[in-house]
Amino acid sequence: MAQQLDLNHGFYYSTLSAAQKQTYDTLLANMRQFAQEFAINPVSTNDYLIANRAVLDDHPELWWADTPARYYFNMAGKVNKHQFLQLTGKEKQLTAQMEKQATAVLQKAVSLKNDWNKALYFHDAIVQGTRFNTGRDADGYSDQNVSSVFLGGNSVCAGYSRAFQLLCRSAGIECIYVTGPAVKNGRTISHAWNLAYIDGNWTYIDCTWDDLILETGSESVEHDYFCVNDTWISKDHPIPKTIETGNNNIRQAIKLPAASTLNMEYHRVAGTYFEKFDVNKVAQSIQKQGQTGKIRLRFGSTAELKKACADLVDRNNLTANPSVRVSKDDAICVLRIDQK
């Protein structure tokens, strides 16, 4: 169940040296006061940049702080001052508005029986309420932070993942913001997703890739990346071993907690996962799902998915049926059949 978290520190704080932790605390204290410029105890450039990145990745509520800034050096070449360059003076007001929207979501999740259900509610609320941003910052809110989700309803992976992190940590569910390369449609891209501690286990969630964009331009709420383990997430999200700091020469080594269980994986909980393609069991699942007009099936391997497609799709010539939409994902072994 939800626990009492240290909201001053998150996972990335735990990866820091003593000097970096001190800088982290100074940055955090001043950012929470919306300070435009402030002094810090002299520290190396490496330590400053690593600490700054850790603060931003641990604290999605500091949405405005991931903006252009300048740092100054003393005579010894140590960083001793931080200055934001593009603050508008509206950050505090917008933060209050954002908190109001986030609180409304949190209040609706209070009565849910466990962390899994709360996390699922947060996942669905974000996916349903956010349109994937194909025109960068089209609504005036940066798509790299939570303002684009809670105020704009229009974001990219950074906004989705930071919003999920914010809701989880506010509800007492530890949640890590994860960044690194991912493979989508055979192309490697920069991406962000989450690793959350839910009901006693670490597990991966990717809200962005569960916001499926259909060929019509509409979006569909999926659950293919809700509570998967290291093995499944690694199929197209290589687990990162470092985080970037904004300087390509300065990276922080990390070791993310192991996510081993699949007991909480959405399709297993929903009864739509099949290790092997079993005609009768799959038919029963399709019959149950058929009333919704939205059929989802996940299989234990690409080979089993191929068998399912041959029997369900090819044999019934579903791709030629204009009232049916069929799509599949070989990497994560998912078959989707929808009534248009």
Side-chain angles (χ1 to χ4, degrees):
M1 293 299 292
Q3 55 188 315
Q4 185 66 41
L5 300 183
D6 176 6
L7 295 180
N8 290 318
H9 305 121
F11 167 77
Y12 291 107
Y13 177 85
S14 69
T15 70
L16 303 180
S17 68
Q20 292 164 358
K21 286 179 177 178
Q22 183 180 53
T23 303
Y24 177 113
D25 286 334
T26 299
L27 290 166
L28 177 61
N30 283 278
M31 289 175 180
R32 282 177 166 170
Q33 297 301 314
F34 301 93
Q36 184 164 350
E37 61 180 80
F38 49 88
I40 60 177
N41 288 334
V43 68
S44 72
T45 302
N46 282 36
D47 287 343
Y48 162 79
L49 289 175
I50 289 170
N52 186 64
R53 187 73 259 159
V55 171
L56 298 176
D57 287 353
D58 278 344
H59 295 277
E61 71 277 10
L62 299 176
W63 59 273
W64 55 272
D66 197 4
T67 55
R70 177 183 292 139
Y71 50 97
Y72 296 83
F73 299 90
N74 63 13
M75 295 296 290
K78 300 288 188 179
V79 178
N80 67 348
K81 182 180 177 182
H82 178 103
Q83 180 186 38
F84 288 108
L85 301 177
Q86 296 183 5
L87 301 190
T88 65
K90 296 181 180 179
E91 288 77 22
K92 191 171 184 178
Q93 175 187 348
L94 291 174
T95 295
Q97 294 177 19
M98 184 200 73
E99 288 176 348
K100 184 178 180 180
Q101 297 299 321
T103 298
V105 177
L106 288 164
Q107 288 177 339
K108 291 178 181 178
V110 167
S111 62
L112 298 177
K113 63 181 180 180
N114 56 30
D115 291 349
W116 189 90
N117 283 281
K118 290 176 182 177
L120 179 63
Y121 184 82
F122 299 152
H123 168 284
D124 289 0
I126 291 168
V127 174
Q128 290 168 354
T130 311
R131 183 167 182 79
F132 189 81
N133 186 6
T134 54
R136 186 174 175 83
D137 300 343
D139 53 15
Y141 298 105
S142 171
D143 59 20
Q144 296 300 300
N145 64 57
V146 294
S147 68
S148 59
V149 172
F150 292 115
L151 300 181
N154 188 44
S155 193
V156 294
C157 60
Y160 282 74
S161 302
R162 292 186 188 279
F164 185 75
Q165 180 191 26
L166 176 63
L167 291 171
C168 282
R169 297 203 83 223
S170 297
I173 301 170
E174 186 58 273
C175 186
I176 302 170
Y177 175 73
V178 182
T179 58
V183 181
K184 189 73 167 177
N185 299 323
R187 185 168 64 94
T188 300
I189 60 173
S190 297
H191 193 47
W193 61 101
N194 297 104
L195 177 61
Y197 192 69
I198 297 175
D199 294 327
N201 294 283
W202 286 103
T203 186
Y204 283 98
I205 296 101
D206 187 340
C207 296
T208 313
W209 282 13
D210 275 345
D211 194 351
L212 185 66
I213 301 176
L214 305 175
E215 67 272 13
T216 60
S218 59
E219 299 181 52
S220 173
V221 180
E222 304 296 332
H223 300 94
D224 303 328
Y225 293 93
F226 187 78
C227 291
V228 295
N229 66 0
D230 290 330
T231 301
W232 278 88
I233 199 69
S234 295
K235 290 175 181 289
D236 43 24
H237 297 59
I239 298 172
K241 297 180 180 180
T242 63
I243 57 169
E244 298 181 4
T245 64
N247 183 320
N248 290 331
N249 297 318
I250 301 175
R251 293 171 179 265
Q252 171 74 338
I254 60 167
K255 184 177 181 181
L256 293 168
S260 58
T261 185
L262 279 171
N263 293 338
M264 300 184 295
E265 192 267 321
Y266 181 86
H267 287 284
R268 285 168 171 77
V269 175
T272 53
Y273 173 81
F274 303 90
E275 187 68 24
K276 301 286 186 180
F277 174 64
D278 182 303
V279 174
N280 294 327
K281 291 181 179 179
V282 169
Q284 292 174 5
S285 179
I286 289 174
Q287 186 176 15
K288 291 179 181 178
Q289 296 182 66
Q291 298 176 353
T292 68
K294 183 176 178 177
I295 295 168
R296 298 293 182 266
L297 304 167
R298 173 175 247 155
F299 297 92
S301 67
T302 304
E304 296 303 314
L305 171 63
K306 186 176 181 180
K307 292 178 185 178
C309 289
D311 187 84
L312 302 174
V313 179
D314 298 341
R315 187 167 62 85
N316 295 298
N317 200 22
L318 288 185
T319 55
N321 187 334
S323 65
V324 176
R325 179 190 303 109
V326 177
S327 66
K328 66 184 179 74
D329 191 317
D330 291 325
I332 57 172
C333 308
V334 170
L335 175 63
R336 310 180 187 98
I337 303 173
D338 294 286
Q339 293 292 328
K340 293 183 179 178

